[in-house]
Structures are given as C-alpha cells and as structure tokens.
Amino acid sequence: MTLLSIEHLSKAYAVHRAGRRARACDDVNLSVRQGETVDIKGRSAGSAAAVLRCIWGTDSPDDGRILYDSERFGPMDLRAADQRKMRYLRTHELGYVSLFPYVPSSWTAYDAVLKSALRAFGASERERAEQEAEQVLRRFGVSERLWKTHPSKFSARDRLRLGFAIAMARRPRLLLVDGSAEALDDTLREDVRRLAGRVGEQGVAMLCAVREPTPSEDPFPMFSVLKRKGEGF
C-alpha cells in the first residue's frame, strides 16, 4: 500500500539581500509504501530537507502535490490540509527527526519522550505512555543516566538518539528523518543509518533526507531517490 506519493514538487526560498529566489527542489517525484525506506539524496544540506518540511507542513511548496493515505482521514493532499488535520497527523501518524529536537527548558529528556507518548495515547493512558517512553529511550540507546537531564547538555550523538525516541514514542506510520544537516560528520551519519535501521525493523515507513555534496559550479541541487525495504539508508 502506498502511504505517500509526491508529484512534481517544487520549492524555492527568497534570498532578500540578493533580490532573488534560490531553488531548493524542483519537480520531485517519489512514493513511499508501507514498511518501505526511501532516501532522498540532495546536493545541499537544505535541498533534501525542504521536501521533508513541505510534507510536515512547516514550509509551503510552490508547486506539486503531496498525497498521503491517512489512517483517519483517508487519501488527502497535504498541501490542502487545514491546521486541525495537520496537528492530528503530526501527533498520531507522522514523525519528524532532526539533529536538534526542541525541548522546553523546564523539561528533561524523559519528560520530552513521555509528553510525546501522552499526546498519542491520551492522558488517561499514562501508565502505558510511561512504559512506551522507557522502551523507546532504551531502544534508541539513550543512556539512563541522561533521562533526567535537559538535552542542551547532550552530545550531538545523544541528541540524535533522543530525537528518534521522541518521534517514535508516538508510533508514527511514516517517519521523516532529516540526515542532511551540515553538522553531521561521518560518525553521526553512520549513527543515523543505524538508528533508522531500528525503525525499519518495526515496519514503519521512512523518508530520509541525505546530503550529497556537489561541485560548487552546479547552481541547483539535483536529487536521486533510493528505495530499500525495512532498512536504514
């Protein structure tokens, strides 16, 4: 079953000082089936991630369609979805992983994962949410000694692990993984691959953004799409 189908997606951002628009992605077409992992390899840190942001709803594409088969709402174009539906999808059906997950200053790492689980399960299911929080923290390798610490004190590797735990605590159907950041060195990229592999083992569909360096003379990012079954990229 196809969960997500992107058709002719394009996005450009205004560069105000230069008085022009910079193209992030152009005419992107791909699909993601249930349990499948799809890698988007862009030639800049922002190009592949722009596709994820358009799906997540933080950015609006300039052209194209984002067709998603929602468990609750049925087939829908995410470009046309209202805020109420997008909030529901982000809570119950979609997940997003980045290198720098936002956590309020008064929360610990455990609080962040627990709150994520509670949003999905509901306040009446607190015991179940607590069990889920502990399971995902352990599954993605967040040391128990860090659970009561704010992530600002974490290493980049531990923040990445926490990002996966926060996203997966909601048991999403489709996980968006931003592995395109310039801050990701080879070691962290390998960690993203390994953690994404653990997600794939659970049968969750994934769309992973990966940076692929390009010669500086190439003015626009190009894309390649690679599909794998139940694996990290």
Side-chain angles (χ1 to χ4, degrees):
M1 183 182 82
T2 300
L3 284 182
L4 181 76
S5 180
I6 293 178
E7 301 177 353
H8 308 293
L9 184 72
S10 298
K11 176 63 181 176
Y13 296 95
V15 183
H16 296 291
R17 291 185 177 181
R20 63 181 180 85
R21 291 173 64 81
R23 189 187 310 173
C25 58
D26 186 37
D27 198 30
V28 176
N29 295 275
L30 61 87
S31 63
V32 185
R33 295 180 61 84
Q34 193 168 23
E36 186 175 54
T37 296
V38 176
D39 309 335
I40 316 171
K41 294 188 176 182
R43 291 186 175 179
S44 73
S47 58
V51 177
L52 302 190
R53 291 193 296 269
C54 288
I55 298 167
W56 191 246
T58 49
D59 288 354
S60 298
D62 298 324
D63 199 9
R65 299 201 299 169
I66 305 171
L67 305 177
Y68 172 67
D69 190 4
S70 168
E71 191 170 53
R72 175 166 180 177
F73 304 116
M76 59 189 299
D77 186 349
L78 296 183
R79 284 192 69 185
D82 59 33
Q83 287 301 309
R84 179 185 63 84
K85 288 183 178 179
M86 287 306 301
R87 281 195 298 269
Y88 179 89
L89 294 176
R90 292 186 196 118
T91 299
H92 297 282
E93 299 192 27
L94 306 177
Y96 195 105
V97 176
S98 70
L99 181 58
F100 302 103
Y102 170 73
V103 177
S105 59
S106 60
W107 292 8
T108 64
Y110 176 81
D111 291 335
V113 179
L114 177 59
K115 297 285 188 182
S116 182
L118 283 169
R119 288 185 67 186
F121 298 142
S124 62
E125 295 284 343
R126 186 175 183 88
E127 184 176 350
R128 181 185 175 196
E130 289 174 345
Q131 292 174 351
E132 183 70 14
E134 292 182 10
Q135 287 176 5
V136 294
L137 282 164
R138 291 193 174 98
R139 184 181 305 132
F140 291 101
V142 181
S143 173
E144 196 165 343
R145 65 181 174 79
L146 298 174
W147 289 10
K148 297 301 181 182
T149 305
H150 189 271
S152 61
K153 301 183 180 353
F154 283 18
S155 66
R157 173 175 287 182
D158 287 324
R159 284 198 305 270
L160 184 63
R161 292 172 176 174
L162 178 64
F164 272 91
I166 292 171
M168 288 302 294
R170 300 181 189 181
R171 297 188 177 180
R173 302 173 73 224
L174 173 64
L175 185 65
L176 309 175
V177 181
D178 184 0
S180 66
E182 298 279 5
L184 288 176
D185 58 19
D186 289 341
T187 301
L188 283 175
R189 274 193 286 272
E190 184 58 38
D191 275 354
V192 174
R193 294 186 183 94
R194 181 173 51 80
L195 294 168
R198 294 183 188 179
V199 175
E201 290 169 0
Q202 297 177 252
V204 176
M206 280 185 294
L207 185 59
C208 304
V210 186
R211 181 171 64 90
E212 186 174 83
T214 182
S216 58
E217 62 270 14
D218 190 344
F220 298 125
M222 299 293 288
F223 281 83
S224 60
V225 176
L226 175 65
K227 295 192 174 189
R228 299 172 185 263
K229 180 69 174 178
E231 303 174 6
F233 53 85

